Amino acid sequence: MTLTILIAVAAGIFIVIGLSEPLAARLKLPFSVILAAMGIAIGVGAAFFWQTDLTNALNPLALVILNLPIRASFFLNVFLPLLVFQVALNIDIRRMLDDWVPILVLAVLAVAVAMLAIGFTLYPVAGLPLAGCLLVGAIVSTTDPSAVVSIFRATPSPQRLARIVEGESLLNDAAAIAFFSLFLGFVMTNADNPKISSALLTFPWIVGAGSVIGIAAGRLAVEIMARMPDFPRGQIAVSLAIPPLTYLLAEEASASGVIAVVATGLTINLHMTARFTPAMNVLLRESWDLIAHMAGSLIFLLAAILIPKLLSQFVPYDLFLVGLVVVAALVARAVILFGVLPVLTFLKLSPKIEAPYCVAILWGGLRGAVTLALALAVTENRFVPPEIKHQVGILATGFTLFTLIVQGTTLRWAIAKLRLDQLSPLDIALGKQVIAVALQSVREQVSETTRDYALTRDIVRDEAKRFAERVDDAVEQTGASEQLQDRDRVTLGLLALAAHERDTVLEEYRKQVISPDLAERLVIAADRIIEATRTGGRASYREAGRRAYGTGRFYRFATFAHNYFGIRRLLARRIEDRFEILVSYSMILPRLEEFLDERIRRIHGRRVADLLHDLLNRRLEEVRQELEQLRLQFPGYAEDLERRLIRRTTLQLEEREYDALTEDGLIGPELRATLGTGVDKRRAELNNRPMLNLKQQKKDQINSFPAFADFDERELKLLRRRIRIAYAAPGQHILQRESSSREVWFIASGTVNVLTDGVKIRLSRGDMFGQFAVLARRRKPIQVSAVADCILLALDEHSFRKLLIRPGAFRSAVIASAKKRGVTFEEELFDLPAAELTAQVRASLVQAGSLRVKLQRMNRKAG
């Protein structure tokens, strides 16, 4: 094997990979099908030229191809980690977390069902031990969803559907390889009937240890790469070393190397937006797209070259076994798609997937490089019995060929028969209208351009006439097509508006006006708005828009952790996030008005544009109201965020001015580099978001509360020890029905509804509740819920009574609060002994209650 021939073979392989992609596009076949065909052709050709007597000229080349120095261990230890890492790095992890239940269930359950179905189908007829049959099932359970996902993205299918299929495939490989490792161990020890239950006890270690190793490796990689922002090539080199090292480390620890690499990729994915520059994020993903493309192509092509060798001992009975594997795999997949998915949809854990899409997923489950690599690993393992090597090689290769040759070549035909490649009448009508409007705009621009060029008048007139005929034809087709209803136009306009909102966020991110972490949250919010609007129209648009800055489960959990366990930082982070999102929306939403006037109005008309203006203005008004409420609660923090936004915008404008001066030749590249370094330094100082100090917030709220206005510093210091501060989101219950108040609550900001004795009242800043139960020493049912964001100060019963002894603002506030609710307290009442005070308060409450009942009766009679 000379170096020249080896280089020629390597160059030929890369040429084949390069030509396969355009060939696949021309033949409208999946790329993997073309690669497999090319690899098989190369393998068959090499065998033919080595054995033929026609010529000996190609024998050295054929011998090199037949004895390529690459083994399955190289595929598994190098290529496979690269492929898995790239998918984990590029997947939309934050959106995937929204659907973690269906993804996890489908991934783990789909592999287990397919493995068991194939294993127990083969066991009675294949002449193999059960462990060998289950090993075959684990090998062929991995799927390559690239073909069906690309089709979903090219059709008007839900984005969430493609995301679930991608996420399932990522974890599918990890689960299948974990099962593969388990049953390969049984086969190597000649365990005919393994105890699966005892083997499954090792799974927590395989998964858990792999996840821990992967997360640790990912965090280490992020820290190393983040500390070298000026050396992008070095960052790429570090990222390239991480997957194989993580895989080997996990395998040495008897954990799952694939799970470790998945965890590493997801960890870097989760932190890269905030820790790396925008340019680095783009470069990292683009570099890994190329790396994974080449690795996947090489593993597929090289494995396909070995297919003739794997099938060299093929007998007719093996064809029957391959057919059983095909049927069992399709039935198992159908059980998941048509049995499990509807249950998850019923439980609202998964989007509803229509039957045509389920059929497409079923038929699009092609097997590829991972299946062939695992099969090669078995055939090259000297501890595996020969009969199992033979059957694994034949069945895995035969099944892979079936999915590629039969399913792969007919997938587009199946998609067409299912009508998944056709636009809806709504999209067709919209498309015709958009074309007509676009051509009219082009005609106006061309007219102005030709005048500037001073072209020959006759030629210009002739071309204008021909273009006008095209415009008239487009307008005529628009009139002849199905007319859009206003409701449909509004939905389509809102979809375009949400898409432009997403583009605006990305533009501000590229300008580095908003932080990477914030940009990611806003882009996710825009995607959710698009998905909600597509299914629910304008009502869902408004609801999804509110959800972007609303108080969800994590916010309520953080509030609970703060109010009952004193954990401040968790809630402070949630408030900071909400503040930042609202400030950004107050900047971004007004910029959508111009898009409505310039684009939406021309396509959908004035009436629809005016309606969209109204919806956008209402959304903007809600954002400003929410922001104003937070300003009242945290006035200093709102100012810090706005100053930070202004400074980031100023830096962007400053940098743009330096670029213009450089292009005009007024400053040289050396000076530009120096100025750019100064801008980058100031921008780095602004990357860290201001921190909200809830401890200081408690002090400020107590000091500014009217009832404590005349307290001196010593009394305020003692009071701060006694009072606990609580936060409540809109709709959150502060006190539940049938619970009794042993504290007095002071409303520092916000509004609450109080329901007691069948009477509902609304209290706001400066008011209090719970004081009557404390003064009367009577436990009474009370229900309090927040109307808006609230800050509450809770004082225990003993401290409240102690403060009432002191004449002044506090006592006056209690009297005023009681009077507002129809209960009269005299100043001297609080100088009485405790027993007499309790009796007098009870009497006053009874009198006020009787008066309230009489008034209600009089009102009913008057009504």
Side-chain angles (χ1 to χ4, degrees), residues 78 112 175 212 385 387 465 477 505 573:
V78 179
V212 171
E387 64 276 9
K465 182 179 178 181
Q477 289 186 18
V505 171
R573 287 289 300 271

Side-chain angles (χ1 to χ4, degrees), residues 106 148 152 157 161 165 330 333-342 345 350-365 411 415 418 420:
L106 286 176
V148 70
F152 282 164
S157 59
L161 178 58
V165 174
L330 290 176
R333 190 69 170 164
V335 168
I336 297 297
L337 292 170
F338 296 99
V340 177
L341 272 181
T345 302
S350 172
K352 182 180 180 180
I353 302 179
E354 303 293 341
Y357 288 112
C358 288
V359 174
I361 295 173
L362 175 65
W363 198 245
L411 181 57
I415 293 292
L418 294 169
L420 296 180

Side-chain angles (χ1 to χ4, degrees), residues 29-345:
L29 292 173
F31 177 55
S32 55
V33 173
I34 299 299
L35 274 181
M38 291 285 192
I40 294 172
I42 293 172
V44 171
F48 171 77
F49 284 112
W50 176 251
Q51 297 175 3
T52 185
D53 295 330
L54 297 177
T55 178
N56 294 326
L58 298 177
N59 282 359
L61 183 63
L63 185 62
V64 169
I65 294 175
L66 293 175
N67 296 286
L68 283 173
I70 296 179
R71 296 293 177 260
S73 58
F74 187 77
F75 289 154
L76 294 177
N77 294 331
V78 179
F79 285 158
L80 181 61
L82 299 180
L83 290 174
V84 174
F85 181 81
Q86 185 268 342
V87 176
L89 188 69
N90 280 344
I91 201 167
D92 192 344
I93 182 171
R94 296 185 189 273
R95 299 306 312 277
M96 192 180 80
L97 291 176
D98 294 341
D99 298 307
W100 69 273
V101 173
I103 288 173
L104 194 61
V105 169
L106 286 176
V108 177
L109 194 60
V111 170
V113 170
M115 180 188 67
L116 294 174
I118 294 169
F120 283 101
T121 300
L122 289 175
Y123 183 54
V125 295
L128 296 177
L130 180 59
C133 295
L134 292 174
L135 178 64
V136 174
I139 289 173
V140 302
S141 295
T142 62
T143 59
D144 178 10
S146 57
V148 70
V149 169
S150 64
I151 291 173
F152 282 164
R153 288 179 172 171
T155 60
S157 59
Q159 294 182 22
R160 193 179 179 193
L161 178 58
R163 205 164 51 237
I164 288 177
V165 174
E166 275 189 308
E168 183 224 344
S169 172
L170 176 64
L171 300 181
N172 175 294
D173 287 349
I177 293 173
F179 282 121
F180 166 80
S181 302
L182 177 68
F183 289 107
L184 181 61
F186 287 134
V187 168
M188 291 167 60
T189 56
N190 294 317
D192 292 336
N193 295 296
K195 294 183 179 179
I196 299 177
S197 57
S198 60
L200 291 178
L201 295 177
T202 63
F203 253 66
W205 171 258
I206 292 174
V207 176
S211 300
V212 171
I213 292 172
I215 293 171
R219 292 302 299 267
L220 179 62
V222 169
E223 292 301 324
I224 293 174
M225 295 167 66
R227 294 177 186 276
M228 43 195 296
D230 297 328
F231 305 96
R233 287 188 289 264
Q235 291 175 312
I236 299 297
V238 170
S239 72
L240 187 58
I242 291 297
L245 289 177
T246 303
Y247 183 90
L248 294 174
L249 180 62
E251 290 293 325
E252 287 296 319
S254 299
S256 171
V258 176
I259 291 177
V261 174
V262 169
T264 301
L266 293 178
T267 302
I268 297 176
N269 185 344
L270 190 63
H271 293 91
M272 62 187 291
T273 304
R275 299 297 302 276
F276 303 159
T277 63
M280 181 58 208
N281 287 328
V282 174
L283 178 62
L284 185 63
R285 286 197 163 100
E286 289 180 348
S287 299
W288 271 99
D289 284 343
L290 178 61
I291 292 169
H293 174 74
M294 298 309 300
S297 301
L298 283 171
I299 189 175
F300 213 112
L301 187 62
L302 294 174
I305 290 174
L306 299 177
I307 284 178
K309 181 179 178 181
L310 291 173
L311 297 178
S312 59
Q313 300 179 9
F314 184 84
V315 296
Y317 186 70
D318 292 331
L319 190 63
F320 168 71
L321 295 180
V322 171
L324 287 181
V325 173
V326 170
V327 173
L330 290 176
V331 170
R333 190 69 170 164
V335 168
I336 297 297
L337 292 170
F338 296 99
V340 177
L341 272 181
V343 174
L344 295 179
T345 302

Side-chain angles (χ1 to χ4, degrees), residues 651-678:
L651 287 175
Q652 186 268 327
L653 295 174
E654 181 182 348
E655 190 171 39
R656 189 170 66 181
E657 187 65 23
Y658 293 154
D659 290 336
L661 293 173
T662 304
E663 291 176 2
D664 293 339
L666 298 177
I667 61 176
E670 297 82 4
L671 178 57
R672 173 64 184 89
T674 303
L675 295 173
T677 302

